[in-house]
Amino acid sequence: MNKPNRLTVELSRALPPETSSAEAVAVGVFADEPHLPGAEILTASLLHACEQLVRGGEFKGEEDTSLLLRVAAGEEGETSGVARRLLLMGLGAHADFDADALRRAAGMCVREARDGHVSALHFVVPSEGLPVAPGMVRALAEGAHLGLYENDFYQTGDEGKETLERLNVVTSRGGDELGLELERARVVAESANWARRLADEPGASLPPREFARRAAEMAEEFGLTVESLDAGEIRALGLGGLAGIGQGSDEEPALIVLRYEPVGSSPEDELWAFVGKGITFDTGGISIKHGLDMYEMKSDMAGGAAVLGALRAAAQLRPRRRLAAIVPAAENMPSEKAIKPGDIVRTFAGFTLEVVDTDAEGRVVLADGIAYARRLGASRIVDLATLTGSIIVALGDHRAGLFANDDAWAAAVESAAARAGEPVWRMPVSDDYKKRIESPIADFKNYGGRPDATSAALLLSKFAGDTPWVHLDMAGPSWHTDPQPHAPQGATGWGVRTLVELMFGDSDA
Ligand code: BES
Ligand code: MN
Ligand code: ZN
């Protein structure tokens, strides 16, 4: 049931003189001139074969396209039928090519190679005669590790399935620092895949306490500190939002808390808190969802998984930052005990909150998660949440919405997200919208008549207070509704890469 991918990635300066039929050479092709970057790495016969295929129009180099084939590769004058396997990958137009395009192309290539029974892939790095930027090699390796992820943990009978075992990154234009990039890419992508796997788990296999157990197991493996709270502690401490949303389920809620302390840090050093929504299944509660709207809701803890995944990476990459990951985890269920529309909860921050719609549960549990982050002494907060359908209507699945109460902190997160290839779009936090969160009977209400992402963010901002805070509504990019060339249908692990970029950014915002 547990089939992790262990891809070995190595670096070399030249192609091996021969490749077996279980190996292939991956060559990038641009859609416009010059079509073949990095061609100096190829042998004369491989270059000739590539040129012929491109000139003949067999392969146009468009993004998201690839072609795996066998070419005759005897060197000039040889008549023997030496064959090489070649994997052409489309890189799109030069003008649109960047690290993210390479990450996607690499993901597509490893999937294509695996499906074509290739066990070792020699990947010629597109270089156009220039030194290869470290970030490009990192993106390439990340793409490869991410690309081999499959949600096949519950498929039986293919234990001995062939897979791509080795990726050889071939470039004559890189320095020794590229080796470090490969290692960092492995850690980051494996952590994203760890988060992804949790988000792909069916609701029944990952109730809050099991989510907490998996977090603790990971923390022990990598040396993070666990400070989680159980249902009794949640109630005793007064996290009424989390307790209220969790009360309808037989599965008790949990507040998962992991901490990372760099060597030599002191309790006075700044603490950054990453808060992630951890609804392990969102039925909507008494305000129940209908039909297919509910299926995806097994991944309503993707934000929680991402903040934990970010600490998993931190434990290995060791940034000089104190970090905490906080995940209010609950199952949102209708039952005789469930919270009802109109009920009022007393949150950890002390504000009372009228729960007008039990399907707007994310903001209720996050209110407590954010307040708890402040209680731990966080000087900066980022929350990640699959919070609203409305953000998907606004931004689609390519960008997450970014809401903030502090411009410098917003800029730091936005820039980290751009570097990570997980783009975000800034949205407003403004009291212009306050009517939607004002309650006639409590301090606030959780729903104001429209399911908009903006009033959800405004409500959260009241709990962040004057602590610099960024909210990422990641309902769109957390999930692929359809299979992609570089990824299967399902969870994406979105957010882990952004948080890792952020913790290494030199920003003191
Ligand atoms: N988890 C959902 C948001 C969501 C929807 C995530 C689709 C991913 C895909 C959230 O708890 C929710 O139900 N939001 C409602 C809020 C409404 C009832 C105010 C929504 O967006 O419709
Ligand atoms: Mn909901
Ligand atoms: Zn939800």
Side-chain angles (χ1 to χ4, degrees), residues 277 282 289 296-297 300 357 359-363 386-390 392 446-447 450-452 475 478:
K277 174 175 173 181
D282 180 14
K289 293 179 184 294
E296 241 182 75
M297 292 301 118
D300 208 18
D357 189 316
D359 197 12
E361 84 297 341
R363 60 202 80 177
T386 49
L387 205 62
T388 65
S390 123
I392 312 180
N446 78 333
Y447 179 60
R450 277 172 204 269
D452 59 308
S478 67

Side-chain angles (χ1 to χ4, degrees), residues 360-408:
E361 84 297 341
R363 60 202 80 177
V364 181
V365 302
L366 280 171
D368 276 350
I370 290 168
Y372 196 80
R374 297 184 79 201
R375 179 66 64 89
L376 288 183
S379 55
R380 289 173 192 284
I381 298 173
V382 182
D383 82 65
L384 273 70
T386 49
L387 205 62
T388 65
S390 123
I391 202 72
I392 312 180
V393 176
L395 300 176
D397 57 12
H398 192 62
R399 283 182 178 76
L402 181 151
F403 301 82
N405 63 2
D406 182 283
D407 287 344

Side-chain angles (χ1 to χ4, degrees), residues 32-89:
D32 49 0
E33 299 275 359
H35 291 290
L36 289 165
E40 73 277 2
I41 290 283
L42 301 177
T43 61
S45 59
L46 269 177
L47 178 59
H48 181 69
C50 291
E51 280 170 347
Q52 291 245 299
L53 287 160
V54 172
R55 216 175 294 140
E58 262 97 350
F59 191 72
K60 296 192 165 53
E62 278 155 12
E63 226 186 319
D64 289 345
T65 64
S66 61
L67 181 64
L68 179 61
L69 73 175
R70 234 171 262 274
V71 295
E75 291 305 318
E76 212 132 351
E78 281 180 35
T79 46
S80 69
V82 190
R84 290 252 213 184
R85 297 184 77 189
L86 185 63
L87 176 53
L88 295 179
M89 65 176 147

Side-chain angles (χ1 to χ4, degrees), residues 100 103 142 415-423 495-499 501:
D100 196 43
R103 190 185 288 105
E142 279 175 4
S415 139
R419 293 196 302 278
E422 293 177 329
V496 174
R497 296 193 329 252
T498 294
L499 294 178
E501 282 293 336

